Amino acid sequence: MILTIPFALLPLKTAVWTGEKLGLVLYRILRGWRILGYENIEKMLPWLRQQPGWDPAYNSPARLTGELFENMGRLVAEISRLYHGIDRGLLETIEFRGMEHFDNASARGKGVLFITAHCGNRELMALSFGAKFKPVAVVAKPMKKQYIDKLLEKMRYRHGNSVIYRDHAVREILTTLKSNGIVGILVDQVAPPPHGVVAQFMGRPAWTTRMPVKVAMKSKAALLPIFIHREGVRNIVTIHPEMELGREGSEDERIQRDTDRLNRYIEEQIIRFPAQWNWFYRRWKGTEGL
């Protein structure tokens, strides 16, 4: 909490620059994170190198890991400002692309499921959408330490937004969608059975939540992939066209195929902006022998 104060007091550009330098310091001192990020990147590089649009400049795990920490520092700076309510400058850096896809989906009146991942400043994405357009209910996993949830809630509840905790999510999600609301869900998290299915992610099996597809099937809400990335000093939010659900096969088969399809959107985002995805966790946990 003490660390957040300087970032809140500094001018925005200076705060973000300072955050970048902080990332370089964290690279040196957070050895466990550095090793985990490096190992994850190294394991996925053979697959990434084969993908169209991959930048060969990132073929070095060391370079990509270094940029990953720099972006983490920038994220710390921005989140610090959001926590203290100093968000006007950050909101002005946001550019929205693909709003027509949201307008078309929302016009149906069945609600919208924003599908996203740990890419870029997702907290800023949710807050900026709530501030400029319509409130978003974000599905979140409760932290082991409840005081962390309280700190995050102080930020997440601004601009009319709200939080739906995952342990009691389905009923609240359906209620929100019934009123043509928006629910945001992070798909790139380990979701063991019975909450998840094994879907392909970057060429490897990974437990993936089945919630978005199952809820969309029940509610008829639109599935809209949405991501945020940084371009210089600007943050770009891109809304993709609605992903229509498959109609062939049993319910379990459709959930499996459509969950796989959602992972393709995340993969494409990672290929384009590899240093802006969170490589610091074991995404493929529990599927090593599959």
Side-chain angles (χ1 to χ4, degrees):
M1 292 308 302
I2 294 173
L3 183 65
T4 67
I5 296 173
F7 290 119
L9 297 177
L10 289 169
L12 177 59
K13 289 185 179 180
T14 305
V16 173
W17 179 87
T18 305
E20 179 182 320
K21 302 311 173 186
L22 171 65
L24 296 176
V25 175
L26 296 177
Y27 177 86
R28 298 293 181 185
I29 64 177
L30 296 181
R31 181 175 180 272
W33 284 29
R34 184 176 71 247
I35 292 174
L36 178 57
Y38 186 100
E39 289 179 347
N40 280 335
I41 292 167
E42 189 175 41
K43 288 177 183 177
M44 294 301 112
L45 267 177
W47 182 87
L48 289 166
R49 288 171 180 153
Q50 298 175 12
Q51 307 310 309
W54 175 252
D55 186 348
Y58 289 114
N59 283 343
S60 165
R63 172 180 172 175
L64 184 47
T65 305
E67 288 197 25
L68 180 62
F69 271 90
E70 289 179 353
N71 272 310
M72 182 174 69
R74 297 185 190 106
L75 186 64
V76 168
E78 292 178 345
I79 293 294
S80 298
R81 298 177 73 84
L82 293 177
Y83 173 78
H84 289 284
I86 306 172
D87 57 14
R88 178 178 297 180
L90 277 170
L91 294 179
E92 291 173 355
T93 72
I94 298 287
E95 176 185 340
F96 285 88
R97 300 173 182 173
M99 276 300 299
E100 68 275 11
H101 304 308
F102 169 77
D103 293 337
N104 292 337
S106 184
R108 295 219 317 262
K110 299 293 185 179
V112 173
L113 284 164
F114 273 161
I115 304 302
T116 192
H118 292 82
C119 300
N121 192 338
R122 57 200 177 276
E123 301 287 356
L124 176 60
M125 178 171 67
L127 285 173
S128 62
F129 200 92
K132 293 176 179 288
F133 303 108
K134 190 174 180 178
V136 179
V138 178
V139 178
K141 177 182 177 180
M143 297 292 183
K144 293 181 180 179
K145 305 294 185 180
Q146 290 187 355
Y147 68 85
I148 299 179
D149 284 328
K150 296 300 181 184
L151 294 175
L152 290 173
E153 285 174 3
K154 180 180 176 180
M155 174 179 61
R156 288 173 170 169
Y157 273 84
R158 289 198 173 96
H159 305 299
N161 287 2
S162 58
V163 178
I164 298 174
Y165 285 107
R166 197 175 66 181
D167 292 348
H168 309 285
V170 174
R171 180 177 296 179
E172 292 185 54
I173 290 172
L174 291 173
T175 299
T176 302
L177 296 174
K178 189 174 182 180
S179 61
N180 199 27
I182 307 169
V183 176
I185 301 177
L186 289 163
V187 177
D188 60 338
Q189 301 184 82
V190 177
H195 306 294
V197 296
V198 176
Q200 289 297 307
F201 186 63
M202 288 198 271
R204 296 193 175 196
W207 285 109
T208 307
T209 179
R210 56 188 287 167
M211 181 194 298
V213 174
K214 193 165 185 178
V215 168
M217 292 171 66
K218 183 177 181 64
S219 66
K220 309 301 181 185
L223 284 169
L224 285 188
I226 180 172
F227 300 98
I228 185 170
H229 71 275
R230 189 188 308 278
E231 291 184 6
V233 297
R234 298 191 63 75
N235 285 281
I236 312 299
V237 175
T238 302
I239 304 173
H240 294 262
E242 176 182 353
M243 192 194 89
E244 296 186 4
L245 296 176
R247 298 183 180 181
E248 297 182 0
S250 66
E251 178 177 310
D252 287 343
E253 290 171 337
R254 285 180 285 148
I255 289 174
Q256 178 70 61
R257 284 197 302 268
D258 288 335
T259 301
D260 267 313
R261 290 170 62 203
L262 288 179
N263 276 345
R264 302 293 82 76
Y265 288 95
I266 302 171
E267 291 171 353
E268 291 173 9
Q269 187 73 9
I270 294 170
I271 291 165
R272 292 183 63 202
F273 310 103
Q276 298 186 40
W277 185 62
N278 178 15
W279 293 89
F280 296 125
Y281 70 114
R282 303 188 186 280
R283 177 65 187 92
W284 297 269
K285 179 181 179 181
T287 59
E288 292 81 358
L290 299 179

